[in-house]
Amino acid sequence: MNTLDSSYFQQRRDRLAQQMGANSIAIIATSPQVYRNRDADYKYRADSSFYYLTGFAEPEAVAVIETFSSGQDYRYVLFCRERDRQMEIWNGYRAGLEGAVEQYMADEAVAIDDLDEEILTLLSNKDQLFYRLGHDAAFDARVSQWLKQVDAKQRQGGGSPAKIIQLDRLVDEMRLIKSAEEIELMQIASTISAKAHTRAMQMVRPGMMEYALEAELNYVFGQHGCVPSYNSIVGGGANACILHYVENNQVLNDGDLVLIDAACEYQCYASDITRTFPVNGKFSGEQKALYEIVLKAQLAAIHATQVGHHYRYPHEVASRILTEGLLDLGLLKGELNELVETEAYRDFYMHGTGHWLGMDVHDVGAYKQDQQWRAYEAGMVVTVEPGLYIAPDLEGIDDRWKGIGIRIEDDVVVTKDGPRILTHEVVKTVEDIEHLMSQG
Ligand code: GLY
Ligand code: MN
Ligand code: MN
């Protein structure tokens, strides 16, 4: 298994502490446990930024980083659950306070039950508080309460930080640029996800249910100890035109395409892949014509994902090619430049061409700087996912095009040598898809 070790997480805390400046404190809580329904909880997934800084995957944990007036060094305190034999018999292993220090390199570990009391001393007399306001209303309320309590003790020499700064501003920028080690984990997630798509192409048959095809994807994820990084979309025929279709409960019909947008996460790093292929293994003339346009747009947009180009440039490239293709097929009428400028393609292509990808499928990081689209830098990872969707009720369109939805999505690392595709292991040309599907 490929994992980041505890010193790797420490290096991230080092970098954060350096940016915080002297006499400051950062507080970051992990996600609360969420119940699906009475007594049954969702499988726990730590908050991405919390995990990024700690490597600690248990629920009920809060990390505190404090810097001192000297500006030198910092202290990392991890509040977590204490070991508890009874609770561990029912719910599993806990690192406990000893484990927090020994395995997770905390300078000090404190029981989470003591947080409300212990945090007051830590907050007292600091100049700046770095905190992620707006993630969890209940936790925000607790922080407000702590600040009030610290201020109430002012006459005894206390006082809350004068400045409160969004911690996300620092952590999101750190997360946006991926290291070689992180890209390796994303490559593993992508390789497993590519295998799942390949299996889906091999297993699909007319008459199968969409959820049965989803089960083939889940089989591959599960075989590698992974879970989906988002709800899988398996949309046959016109369901592919519903961008966030997740019901996956219809029959896959002979003659239709199926759009699968599904991928897994590995060690908290996500992949995000879409492929569209014929349920019976052979594209019809109309399906092929539209597919080739989307593929051409996707290849050009990937090529446009270069250091120095602005974030939106691949979208501009893709939109132009899609518009050209729609003009050629007679689905749009008019003058190319004007159609591009007025975004006439939006009836057929209504989403962006990509987003940051990392620990979250729609990963963190600002898209604009000084109100301008920011430029790609080496180490950024972005999806490239153009599509065309001819809704069944779109007016003024020949019936033969209606109900066809196509998207092709790959994950791309920006490198100084050009785009590196993490998800290349699943085929995407008409020829390769038909060849693969004819083998089964
Ligand atoms: N799978 C989510 C997305 O493509 O944005
Ligand atoms: Mn995506
Ligand atoms: Mn996707």
Side-chain angles (χ1 to χ4, degrees), residues 230 261 272-274 354-355 357 361-362 383 385 407 409 411:
Y230 53 91
D261 185 345
D272 185 6
I273 304 182
T274 307
H355 51 81
L357 180 72
V361 68
H362 290 176
T383 65
E385 49 179 306
R407 178 164 67 255
E409 176 175 28
D411 304 341

Side-chain angles (χ1 to χ4, degrees), residues 45 48-49 175 268 270 355-364:
R45 162 63 152 81
S48 296
S49 288
R175 283 177 53 188
C268 288
H355 51 81
W356 305 136
L357 180 72
M359 298 183 78
D360 295 314
V361 68
H362 290 176
D363 207 32
V364 294

